[in-house]
Amino acid sequence: MKEQPVYIPAEIEPKWQAKWEADGLYHSDIDPSRQKHYALTMLPYPSGDLHIGHWYAMTPSDSRARFMRMRGYNVVFPMGFDAFGLPAENAAIKRGIHPKEWTYSNIDRMREQLKSMGTMIDWRREAISADPQYYHWSEWFFTQLRKNGLVYRKMSPVDWCPHCNTTLAREQVWGEDRHCERCGTPVIKKDLEQWFFRTTQYADELLDFSHIDWPDRVQALQTNWIGRSDGTSVVFFTESGDTLDIFTTRPDTLWGATFMVLAPEHPLVGKVTSKEQKKVVDAYIHQAVRQTDIQREALDKDKTGVFTGGYAINPVNNERIPIWIADYVLMTYGTGAIMAVPAHDQRDFEFARMYGLEVRVVIQPDDTPALDGNSMTEAIPAYGAMVNSGPLSDTPADLAFDRTIEFLEESGIGHFTVNYRLRDWLISRQRYWGAPIPVIYCPVHGAVDVPEDQLPVMLPDDVEWLPTGESPLKLHPTWKYTTCPLCGEPAERETDTMDTFMCSSWYHLRYLSPEYTMGPFDPQEYDYWMPVDTYTGGIEHATMHLIYTRFFHKALRDIGVVKGPEPMLQLRNQGIVLGEDSEKMSKSRGNVIAPDNLVAQYGADTVRAYLVFFARWDLGGPWNSSGIEGSVRWVRRVWNLFTEPVPAGKPAKHELRSLRRKVHQTLQRVTHDFENFEFNTIISSLMELLNEMYRLREQGVGGSSEWEEAVDIYLRMMAPVTPHVAEELWSRLGKPYSVHTQPWPEVDESAAEEEQITLVVQVNGKLRDRIDVPAAISEAEAKQLALASSSIQRHLDGREPKKVIYVPGKLVNIVG
RNA sequence: GCCGAAGUGGCGGAACAGGCAGACGCGCACGACUCAAACUCGUGUUCCCUCGGGAGUGUGGGUUCGAUUCCCACCUUCGGCACCA
């Protein structure tokens, strides 16, 4: 007898990886005769090592791309690196390594680690955002957006991370303490002249998800983030004759405005303040400015404010109402001024009670006892009939909003308007390791675009690493000095670089043709491959990258660079792999699982199988070192069954039939699960089938054509998840190279069908018996058999069945 | 407060569309193999029980012959947003 080969992943995995690479097995090229499938997974930042999170994100994505390929699609599955960013610069400051060197050596290591996973990545398409041939086009996009009015420069109070020494976009400031998304340091405000992209111009379109299949969770996060409020813009006047615009979502409460509140930074504050009040107003502004946003926005804080001494006229009733300033009104939302309706807004109510201002009821909800402004203990924000509201009094709740807007528009004092929480995207970064902003400042011509034929503006290599809060480019002795493209006179370059999210907003396009020099991408490649069919990655990008890339696509579509409403049709998010202690993995906790070690210990296939199996992919969960043993055993049991000689016997016909049934039922389930991203049950089903094959082997089914079919289908089904061992076994069985280019097997529906079923028999909905019957049993026969059961008779206890329910193929329920 | 996701054995999880709850795996227990251990293989494993059964999918109701699944009201955990007018 031949000795059985031992499963040694370290021998077979590098061998097949080398062969696949040499053969170009995973190259994907335009082929108009086949349907394309663009499978994209979020590109990693080259931080140093590939961690288990990368594996968790990429293994199922790779497996599904492989599955789609076997289903006949021309699949492209590219990879690259989001290579600009702060950690490279921090490494430079800390260790004296040039960011470029740090980044590119990390990329080299991570590329090899990625290769050890055995993915179907087409490395010819690799794109690295820090390459000049890449950032050339990041700069070009900036210029295009600017030409089309989607970029502006503005002095404004912006979020500044004192640790990273740079400004941040609103999206990169997280949590109640408003900390930097990258390093966790609370941000501060700085007044700076910065570049912005007009993301708000696309706010409404970004709220429309009708063209894409994205998780509800992401849609909700983005919708929340964009924060659309429908309301009204109303023009008040100050007594000195200035217009004072306010925004309100409750125009129906306009007659209840008993005072107005301006943000301390509001430009009209100086003008409305009376001589008598100037001192207290100045003092209030002074202390408000000194407070951080966090202090100002703390919810438990009592409302503070001061009277300006000025008055405004409410345009609906010409009433004279006092103007206050208070820090609960934010300059950054709406117009920075509000009408205060204490009876119907809790914040205004608290303020009014604090300072003894009038509370006037103008809304009376139907189900509430008559309201009285003097005795109320809280505001009543519910909708209701309008009262004390001049010509609109008695307007019912459901008409109040629309009627008031009609009234305001007819009177010319207000109109319907929409406000968003979304802010324009601040893209300036005071850092070196990013794509330069291609702008030159000329004393005569102002901010001039670098002409297209002079792109890219190259990053200099020789810079100093000082954490000064200024871009190192600014400190470079010569780099910024240039001449104006318009007049040729001496001028200076912009020394800020772009947010790296700008570079990652279009990487899916660069993959199409990373060597292309005539534009950001080859239009032929674009027309064939785009849009992205399935996009996979972490949920943490819901309100950053995933908003930016949609904005970018829509903006470029309007400029005529790309086509279609959306860049990525289907999005699926993986969860997070936690440490064994159920905590987030971190070096300081010492709970990090290193995939390299796992590969050395178990082989990539087993790690892949376990990552696919151990949790629901969209939820993730804690790692379990003993849990992986299940995957170890599964792979080894497959190996053993398919390499051991299987003795041929004289199997019973029904055993052969049952083998085929199980194979094709499994195929049905595995196909369904791949399609629906339900990866964990793919392995369960394969394990079940394997157990059944072990059992049937003892029944002598070896050597039969049914057994051959089972082995053949089994290897094809496992190939996407465990590519190396599938290829090795496929090859050992003498099948034609490669298993990965084989078509996905077809389900034989008749083989999958059951001809004998177990009918459940219930009495009053409780399980009392099971009977084995032919699947084709008639209703009458089934009911008769069920009633004949002794167990059923006992439970009926002599009662006559009132009703007998029959569910074909499932059960009989006797109601007695 | 608003929005979203999730609550099922000791653990991860399964149950396609309202029809056998707990597939598959981990762990555990017992057995076989072994001088022994590991590996491997086999059996068992929701809880209670008087061995007839009874209870059971976060809680309380409801719809239904029948609910993990649908409806209503809550509770808990996680994530996001938040003096946003």
Side-chain angles (χ1 to χ4, degrees), chain A residues 626-646:
Chain A
S626 59
I628 195 173
E629 291 301 332
S631 302
V632 173
R633 284 173 203 148
W634 172 62
V635 174
R636 192 155 51 210
R637 272 161 63 79
V638 172
W639 176 272
N640 290 341
L641 184 65
F642 292 0
T643 55
E644 275 169 20
V646 184

Side-chain angles (χ1 to χ4, degrees), chain A residues 146 153 195 436-451 454 457 470-471 473-496:
Chain A
R146 185 156 185 238
R153 189 160 180 263
W195 289 98
I437 294 175
V439 166
I440 292 167
Y441 297 103
C442 168
V444 178
H445 296 97
V448 180
D449 285 335
V450 175
Q454 288 172 34
V457 176
E470 294 280 11
S471 168
L473 293 177
K474 209 168 195 168
L475 304 175
H476 190 278
T478 57
W479 184 81
K480 67 180 174 188
Y481 300 108
T482 182
T483 52
C484 172
L486 297 179
C487 62
E489 293 299 313
E492 286 190 18
R493 292 189 186 283
E494 167 68 60
T495 54
D496 285 351

Side-chain angles (χ1 to χ4, degrees), chain A residues 461-522:
Chain A
D461 283 340
D462 53 333
V463 285
E464 290 290 331
W465 309 114
L466 300 169
T468 55
E470 294 280 11
S471 168
L473 293 177
K474 209 168 195 168
L475 304 175
H476 190 278
T478 57
W479 184 81
K480 67 180 174 188
Y481 300 108
T482 182
T483 52
C484 172
L486 297 179
C487 62
E489 293 299 313
E492 286 190 18
R493 292 189 186 283
E494 167 68 60
T495 54
D496 285 351
T497 54
M498 287 188 250
D499 182 2
T500 57
F501 279 110
M502 158 83 184
C503 307
S504 59
S505 290
W506 69 280
Y507 73 102
H508 54 286
L509 301 175
R510 193 63 190 167
Y511 285 160
L512 301 173
S513 48
E515 312 288 336
Y516 194 68
T517 56
M518 313 286 286
F521 53 83
D522 180 345

Side-chain angles (χ1 to χ4, degrees), chain A residues 341-607:
Chain A
V341 184
H344 306 293
D345 181 283
Q346 185 59 24
R347 296 154 300 182
D348 299 344
F349 181 84
E350 285 168 25
F351 194 80
R353 283 287 186 257
M354 182 79 73
Y355 295 102
L357 296 157
E358 186 194 349
V359 176
R360 186 190 302 167
V361 171
V362 290
I363 297 292
Q364 180 59 55
D366 295 342
D367 52 358
T368 311
L371 298 173
D372 170 32
N374 294 322
S375 61
M376 289 167 80
T377 54
E378 59 176 4
I380 302 297
Y383 280 92
M386 293 171 72
V387 294
N388 301 321
S389 294
L392 293 188
S393 291
D394 301 325
T395 306
D398 54 335
L399 298 176
F401 186 93
D402 292 341
R403 279 266 163 89
T404 312
I405 290 174
E406 272 172 43
F407 172 82
L408 293 173
E409 289 180 349
E410 280 164 16
S411 329
I413 51 180
H415 57 89
F416 175 82
T417 188
V418 175
N419 244 293
Y420 301 93
R421 221 184 65 89
L422 184 74
R423 300 270 77 94
D424 280 336
W425 177 11
L426 192 172
I427 59 127
S428 301
R429 296 291 176 276
Q430 291 68 46
R431 303 302 306 214
Y432 161 72
W433 193 234
I437 294 175
V439 166
I440 292 167
Y441 297 103
C442 168
V444 178
H445 296 97
V448 180
D449 285 335
V450 175
E452 282 186 31
D453 60 8
Q454 288 172 34
L455 296 179
V457 176
M458 296 281 287
L459 275 181
D461 283 340
D462 53 333
V463 285
E464 290 290 331
W465 309 114
L466 300 169
T468 55
E470 294 280 11
S471 168
L473 293 177
K474 209 168 195 168
L475 304 175
H476 190 278
T478 57
W479 184 81
K480 67 180 174 188
Y481 300 108
T482 182
T483 52
C484 172
L486 297 179
C487 62
E489 293 299 313
E492 286 190 18
R493 292 189 186 283
E494 167 68 60
T495 54
D496 285 351
T497 54
M498 287 188 250
D499 182 2
T500 57
F501 279 110
M502 158 83 184
C503 307
S504 59
S505 290
W506 69 280
Y507 73 102
H508 54 286
L509 301 175
R510 193 63 190 167
Y511 285 160
L512 301 173
S513 48
E515 312 288 336
Y516 194 68
T517 56
M518 313 286 286
F521 53 83
D522 180 345
Q524 269 192 310
E525 297 274 341
Y526 184 95
D527 287 342
Y528 182 72
W529 294 109
M530 281 293 287
V532 171
D533 295 283
T534 62
Y535 193 28
T536 53
I539 187 85
E540 67 274 15
H541 287 294
T543 55
M544 299 193 293
H545 164 65
L546 290 172
I547 283 200
Y548 296 143
T549 196
R550 288 181 70 213
F551 155 76
F552 212 76
H553 180 93
K554 289 167 189 294
L556 292 180
R557 173 207 58 201
D558 290 345
I559 294 170
V561 178
V562 301
K563 298 164 194 168
E566 296 275 352
M568 292 115 181
L569 300 182
Q570 186 182 39
L571 175 75
R572 290 294 181 271
N573 303 111
Q574 78 275 5
I576 298 172
V577 185
L578 301 171
E580 292 208 74
D581 52 2
S582 297
E583 299 287 337
K584 207 176 166 196
M585 282 191 201
S586 73
K587 275 183 195 156
S588 55
R589 279 205 188 84
N591 61 353
V592 174
I593 301 293
D596 285 2
N597 299 343
L598 296 173
V599 173
Q601 195 177 348
Y602 304 108
D605 283 329
T606 296
V607 180

